[in-house]
Amino acid sequence: GIQAAARGAQEALGIEAPKHMKGLQIFIADIRNCANKEQEEKRVEKEMAKIRQKFTNPKSISGYDKKKYVWKLLYSYMLGYDVDFGHIQAVELCSSTKFSEKTAGYLAMSMLLADNADILRLVVNSVKQDMSSSNEHVAALALNTVANIGGSEFADNLFADISKMLLSNSAQLSAYIKRKACICLLRLYRRDSDTLQPEVWRRRLVELLQDRDVGLLTSASGFVLGILEQGTFPMHEWGEVVPAVAQCLHQFVQGECPDHYEYYHVPAPWLQAKLLRILQFFPVSSLCREPETIRQINLILHNVLTKPAAQRTPPPAGDKYKKRGKADAERQNRSNAEHSILFEAMNLMIHLEDRCDPDTTRTAAGLLGAFISSTDANIRYLGLETMARLATNIGTHEHLERYKNLILEKMHEADISIRRQALNLLYALCRPENWQQIVDELLNLLGQSDTLLQEELVLKIAILAEKNAPHHHWYVDVVFKMLESAPDSVSDDVWFRVVQVVTGFEDGLSDAEKGALQRHAAAKALQALSQGGSMLLHETLVKL
């Protein structure tokens, strides 16, 4: 029964059984059996010469042979060989009434001719005709080709036709075709962002985001995200989509998702991540325009951040040479999906600032503290990076302060990207109450750090010392300590700033204070020059 159904579907679409492509199968087998590269090149050159000869007499070649030869050219191209002929035959296949021949033609256009505007111009009419076909597989094939190629030729000639499919004929189209149309429009819009007007599309995008088909929702959200990323129009022009995005997201966070769209028991993670990103593009005032919308967004964030911790625990690191079992792989995939949603939710929470529920912020701080202790280096990095952005809001420091020592430990990580994120976080958390501990720890690390991080360390230490030190004597001491630990990394900006401070460039100091500061600085300089060692007569010290 299943085989009969498959044969019926093949006949309906014009797809021949694989045995009808015997010549292609033999060619592939010959290539695989070649003992070395030279044999492969000879076999490919022989086949290309044969195909070129066949194409010189187009009247004697059938559609089936044309398709077979184009497939051979595509296979050769995928092996890395140049294919500079057969283009017209590929264009002719696009106009075929047989689905298998049309597939070969469109695939050849996508792979061989994507940058050839003159040839693409020849298939525009075929694409237009196929997009409106009553056979949705043919329509999908044409739309796939447009999405794969993009380009100015298709943008100029097809954007209006594809837009019409969603704006005017939407009720007649299946969700399958609407998905393809959204992907096409996204590709073409990125090519020419002047082709779409908010007043025409706002209402339609809202309707697409209210659909029940998860595949269509994923394509539509990608289209909306692409529009917002281009930034062609002010965000308020698209504010009408915010309630629809929030409502759609709420449904999936609550678990309202067909089983076949769950990824390791996570409901449509790619869709959830896209919807969370869309909301981050809008100013907080737009998100708060309707009280119900901001209430719903806060509820969504609360639900995402308070899921049971066991659901997002990555598998233990273990021995990197030990083969992972199926259960470990599944646990890792589920953890990745859940963390992708979690971090996007935190990004939205950071974007909301004071309009986010305080309990949610406290929960997020606790989760980030757990993440920077994770056995997974990627989770540690993302935890530090997200916590650094959260720390830009002074009101969150009370929740993050307790992780200061843990963050300092991350400055000893082998991975420099993690150390750099830890440094950024410490810089964001530094205040008059804790600056001395942080700066002292960073000074101790300065001499041990590699040169890739030393310059950044020096700059941040200098800024923190000047900003937080109770008086300028501390600032001078810190700069000389940096000259002792990493003289090559102390830039001209740093030592020049010390000179400004010591010479009285700064207002607010009395003559007595200036004199005391200058005597202190001179004594430190004399002490440094007298100590010897690797810093002796270093160019930067001499300048200072």
Side-chain angles (χ1 to χ4, degrees):
I2 295 176
Q3 291 179 344
R7 283 196 300 270
Q10 287 180 337
E11 291 173 4
L13 295 174
I15 302 173
E16 295 88 352
K19 65 181 181 181
H20 292 166
M21 299 278 281
K22 195 70 175 177
L24 175 63
Q25 295 181 36
I26 292 173
F27 175 56
I28 293 173
D30 288 349
I31 294 295
R32 290 177 175 173
N33 291 330
C34 289
N36 50 52
K37 186 67 175 176
E38 290 74 18
Q39 286 186 14
E40 178 186 293
E41 289 175 354
K42 288 181 181 179
R43 181 64 182 90
V44 171
E45 288 172 2
K46 177 182 177 182
E47 194 65 35
M48 284 194 172
K50 172 187 170 184
I51 296 171
R52 195 188 298 269
Q53 179 63 34
K54 293 286 186 180
F55 282 169
T56 56
N57 188 10
K59 292 184 179 180
S60 64
I61 187 171
S62 67
Y64 167 79
D65 287 332
K66 198 182 299 180
K67 173 192 68 176
K68 180 176 64 176
Y69 295 142
V70 166
W71 274 117
K72 289 182 179 180
L73 292 178
L74 287 173
Y75 184 69
S76 301
Y77 177 78
M78 288 188 286
L79 291 175
Y81 296 93
D82 291 332
V83 177
D84 57 0
F85 68 99
H87 302 168
I88 296 301
Q89 287 74 20
V91 171
E92 292 170 353
L93 285 173
C94 294
S95 303
S96 173
T97 56
K98 289 190 175 182
F99 185 80
S100 61
E101 294 176 8
K102 194 181 289 290
T103 300
Y106 278 133
L107 187 59
M109 300 302 296
S110 299
M111 293 181 64
L112 304 178
L113 305 168
D115 299 323
N116 191 327
D118 293 333
I119 296 293
L120 291 179
R121 198 170 294 122
L122 300 177
V123 297
V124 167
N125 287 334
S126 294
V127 172
K128 281 187 177 183
Q129 183 177 344
D130 288 339
M131 285 192 314
S132 58
S133 172
S134 58
N135 185 329
E136 69 173 18
H137 297 288
V138 172
L141 181 60
L143 290 169
N144 282 346
T145 303
V146 175
N148 286 333
I149 296 175
S152 58
E153 192 63 39
F154 282 173
D156 294 341
N157 292 284
L158 297 175
F159 190 90
D161 295 85
I162 301 172
S163 297
K164 187 177 178 182
M165 294 174 70
L166 287 179
L167 292 171
S168 305
N169 306 328
S170 182
Q172 305 168 14
L173 301 177
S174 66
Y176 174 64
I177 294 300
K178 291 178 189 177
R179 278 183 298 201
K180 304 288 185 183
C182 284
I183 295 170
C184 280
L185 291 173
L186 173 59
R187 180 67 188 271
L188 299 181
Y189 180 73
R190 285 173 172 164
R191 181 74 186 191
D192 184 1
S193 58
D194 295 329
T195 51
L196 184 147
Q197 297 303 319
E199 60 272 14
V200 176
W201 278 95
R202 277 193 299 259
R203 185 66 244 164
R204 188 69 197 109
L205 290 175
V206 170
E207 292 172 1
L208 288 172
L209 290 168
Q210 291 171 339
D211 203 279
R212 302 297 297 175
D213 183 273
V214 181
L216 176 56
L217 288 172
T218 305
S219 296
S221 61
F223 185 28
V224 173
L225 194 57
I227 292 171
L228 300 179
E229 286 173 343
Q230 289 292 104
T232 308
F233 303 97
M235 286 301 117
H236 67 81
E237 294 276 11
W238 302 104
E240 196 172 332
V241 307
V242 169
V245 171
Q247 180 59 35
C248 180
L249 181 58
H250 177 72
Q251 293 172 0
F252 286 95
V253 171
Q254 295 297 321
E256 298 178 23
C257 177
D259 291 345
H260 55 280
Y261 276 103
E262 288 188 356
Y263 179 78
Y264 292 95
H265 307 292
V266 181
W270 289 274
L271 175 57
Q272 289 194 56
K274 285 181 180 179
L275 294 171
L276 287 164
R277 285 187 61 202
I278 287 171
L279 293 174
Q280 295 167 49
F281 276 90
F282 292 93
V284 178
S285 57
S286 295
L287 300 178
C288 299
R289 187 169 297 157
E290 296 183 21
E292 175 58 25
T293 300
I294 189 62
R295 186 198 68 80
Q296 194 171 53
I297 291 173
N298 270 308
L299 180 60
I300 289 167
L301 294 176
H302 173 79
N303 289 338
V304 171
L305 296 177
T306 55
K307 284 185 181 291
Q311 292 187 25
R312 48 176 176 262
T313 302
D319 186 347
K320 64 181 180 180
Y321 298 107
K322 182 180 177 181
K323 186 177 179 180
R324 292 197 311 168
K326 182 179 179 182
D328 288 335
E330 289 180 352
R331 192 158 54 248
Q332 180 69 65
N333 289 331
R334 179 171 182 175
S335 172
N336 290 343
E338 290 178 333
H339 279 94
S340 67
I341 297 170
L342 197 59
F343 279 113
E344 284 297 347
M346 288 185 179
N347 291 339
L348 177 57
M349 181 201 71
I350 293 168
H351 177 67
L352 290 176
E353 296 180 330
D354 297 336
R355 297 310 300 267
C356 183
D357 186 276
D359 289 338
T360 302
T361 303
R362 186 163 48 251
T363 300
L367 285 172
L368 289 172
F371 290 163
I372 62 178
S373 301
S374 172
T375 56
D376 187 325
N378 293 323
I379 300 298
R380 292 201 301 279
Y381 174 89
L382 289 171
L384 289 165
E385 189 267 342
T386 306
M387 191 180 279
R389 287 188 292 107
L390 181 61
T392 57
N393 182 350
I394 300 297
T396 64
H397 284 202
E398 61 179 306
H399 307 309
L400 303 179
E401 178 69 22
R402 63 181 182 271
Y403 301 112
K404 182 179 59 185
N405 291 333
L406 181 58
I407 299 163
L408 284 167
E409 289 178 15
K410 302 306 166 189
M411 290 298 298
H412 297 277
E413 288 257 1
D415 188 336
I416 189 173
S417 63
I418 293 180
R419 279 184 278 144
R420 184 170 282 119
Q421 287 300 335
L423 175 60
N424 292 337
L425 177 52
L426 289 169
Y427 181 79
L429 287 176
C430 196
R431 293 179 295 170
E433 297 83 14
N434 61 16
W435 80 273
Q436 192 167 351
Q437 180 194 357
I438 291 177
V439 169
D440 286 346
E441 289 284 352
L442 295 180
L443 284 171
N444 290 334
L445 288 166
L446 183 59
Q448 308 165 21
S449 298
D450 48 45
T451 54
L452 291 173
L453 194 61
Q454 275 186 346
E455 191 168 333
E456 192 172 347
L457 263 170
V458 165
L459 183 60
K460 283 186 164 58
I461 291 171
I463 293 172
L464 292 175
E466 183 177 2
K467 181 179 177 182
N468 296 288
H471 48 76
H472 293 306
H473 290 68
W474 280 92
Y475 177 54
V476 171
D477 291 346
V478 167
V479 173
F480 275 100
K481 179 69 174 176
M482 291 192 295
L483 278 168
E484 180 183 336
S485 301
D488 290 330
S489 299
V490 179
S491 66
D492 290 348
D493 290 338
V494 173
W495 73 258
F496 186 66
R497 179 61 186 152
V498 178
V499 172
Q500 287 183 323
V501 171
V502 171
T503 55
F505 185 80
E506 289 286 314
D507 293 331
L509 293 179
S510 66
D511 291 341
E513 288 173 329
K514 289 179 183 177
L517 177 61
Q518 290 168 2
R519 286 192 296 274
H520 178 75
K524 293 293 293 185
L526 179 61
Q527 180 185 3
L529 289 171
S530 304
Q531 281 179 344
S534 62
M535 190 190 70
L536 182 61
L537 297 182
H538 190 278
E539 181 184 359
T540 304
L541 179 61
V542 172
K543 288 178 182 178
L544 182 56

